[in-house]
Amino acid sequence: MIDHALNKPNNQATMELGRRSLIHDPIEGDLSKIMLVRAKGCSVWDDHGREYLDFTSQAWSNNLGANDPRVVKAAIAQLHEITHVRPNFNSIPLLELAAKLREISPGDLNRFGFCLHGSLAAEMAIKLAFKNRFGRQSLIVLQDGYHGRSLTTLAASWPHPNSPFLAIQPRFTRVPHPDPYRPRKGLTVEADSQLCLQLLEDMINKGVDGGVAAIMLEPILGNGGHVVLPKSFLTGVREICNRYDIVLIWDEIQSGFGRTGRMFAADLYGVVPDIMTFGKGIGGGFPLAGIMASERLTGFSAGEDGLTFGSFPVALAASLATIDAIIGDKLCQNAHDMGAYATERLLKMAERRKLIGDVRGPGLFCSVELVKDRVTKEPTAAAASEVYRRAAQKGVLLGESRYAGLGNLIKIKPPLDVTRAQMKTALDVFDEVLGEIEASGSY
Ligand SMILES: Cc1ncc(COP(=O)(O)O)c(C=O)c1O
């Protein structure tokens, strides 16, 4: 229970017992002790009443600032009507949302399926692709891709050499991808992109058994190191999929709903996949994910898909209000403008702060790679952890890359309605902690 007057848990002993009863290890570091009790817009508060600017948007999900009154109102209104509708029935927000998504979906991606988590949306996309290429045996993914933590999506993500789950996971084929900050030795970014397209085609022709049903990729790799794939690679993969009749799946769970400064990365790159997954930002803080699929694909038959709570009316209603707010408040434009402001300041900061190796966008899909040496580009994960810890102490929650890539990214991904003043405060804190860390001389 929470004591609402104080915004504090009223029983510390229960909190402690609860903490010890959780099956997941706490996340390492000081921040594991932060308990969040309230959120509003770009801010969150802990149980000591301390306010933080949340530049993680809680796993880049609160594209619209937290607890937006329009979203809360829509969710409460739905709560009073009906909260649970199993997939055999329709609900008003289900049909309204499907109709609304047609207005903003790229190309002919006009058929929609819903669930509550991005990982399950990725599984839905994989199932639909294999259904439409019956008999083919392989799924190709990128070597630093990330698609979730269900058994199937863990297998479709970057390699986990010590995973205890390998015995019960499917096996997918991973291919290399270009990395504009670290192109392969002696190659330009463009030559690297063309080489990776050749390697992909070789893999399709000679590297897999049983034919390729689908290629799944994030247009901008998120958790796997924030790699901004060159447009030539994305258009090249589209062209290869057309030639080999392979289903192209784009995972826009992180890049969708305005984060890049456009509604979808597909709009930014002018490429339309056959299936796109979405999640995170669509729900306005409520759990919602799903797929949009080309009208050319055959949909699911009874029994092939459909989860008990998969079309949760409260989240669907919240999502309708969220999309209206993203459009009405012109948040794609704000993401673009605030991303441009952040990038300009970070590049200026890089003239003084040698730890900054690279500054990446687009929009508020923004991050900084920290390096020991700009020539060798040797990453420093230790400095990133220290930035993360010190910034939190100063009231700014920045994102850190802990699991994949090189562990040296600081992610700057606030809600899309972040103000210039909030962005300035967060960047001032980032600058200050980089200065402290550089002065300590230990990274
Ligand atoms: C690109 C991408 N795909 C899939 C997922 C998995 O989503 P969820 O954690 O909702 O299952 C994530 C989550 O971080 C993601 O970033």
Side-chain angles (χ1 to χ4, degrees), residues 206-222:
K206 300 185 212 153
V208 301
D209 292 318
V212 178
I215 298 174
M216 181 162 74
L217 58 85
E218 300 155 272
I220 304 165
L221 275 61

Side-chain angles (χ1 to χ4, degrees), residues 59-61 116-122 145-150 153 157 217-223 251-255 277-280 288-289 365:
W60 0 109
S61 307
L116 298 186
H117 294 277
S119 307
L120 293 182
Y146 177 78
H147 303 287
R149 295 221 170 85
S150 63
T153 54
S157 301
L217 58 85
E218 300 155 272
I220 304 165
L221 275 61
N223 292 1
D251 178 340
E252 289 229 31
I253 288 163
Q254 216 175 115
S255 57
T277 59
F278 56 83
K280 294 189 186 278
L288 188 64
F365 204 119

Side-chain angles (χ1 to χ4, degrees), residues 170-235:
R171 295 282 190 278
F172 300 127
T173 304
R174 296 189 183 90
V175 293
H177 55 78
D179 179 343
Y181 184 54
R182 291 188 173 76
R184 281 162 184 78
K185 207 166 177 191
L187 296 184
T188 61
V189 173
E190 190 46 32
D192 194 21
S193 172
Q194 295 306 323
L195 173 65
C196 290
L197 289 169
Q198 268 174 35
L199 293 173
L200 170 63
E201 206 166 343
D202 280 359
M203 185 60 83
I204 293 166
N205 283 317
K206 300 185 212 153
V208 301
D209 292 318
V212 178
I215 298 174
M216 181 162 74
L217 58 85
E218 300 155 272
I220 304 165
L221 275 61
N223 292 1
H226 190 167
V227 179
V228 185
L229 296 173
K231 183 170 176 169
S232 63
F233 183 72
L234 293 169
T235 51

Side-chain angles (χ1 to χ4, degrees), residues 227-289:
V227 179
V228 185
L229 296 173
K231 183 170 176 169
S232 63
F233 183 72
L234 293 169
T235 51
V237 174
R238 174 70 275 182
E239 196 273 316
I240 288 172
C241 286
N242 291 347
R243 232 169 338 113
Y244 291 86
D245 197 27
I246 291 169
V247 176
L248 176 60
I249 305 171
W250 271 27
D251 178 340
E252 289 229 31
I253 288 163
Q254 216 175 115
S255 57
F257 292 95
R259 181 141 300 276
T260 64
R262 297 292 297 269
M263 191 56 89
F264 298 104
D267 303 323
L268 191 66
Y269 290 105
V271 174
V272 183
D274 302 303
I275 305 176
M276 182 200 286
T277 59
F278 56 83
K280 294 189 186 278
I282 186 180
F286 286 80
L288 188 64

Side-chain angles (χ1 to χ4, degrees), residues 355 370-372 377-385 406-409 443:
L355 275 168
L370 301 184
V371 293
K372 290 186 184 169
K377 300 182 181 175
E378 187 186 345
T380 166
S385 288
L406 304 165
N408 64 333
L409 278 176
Y443 294 96

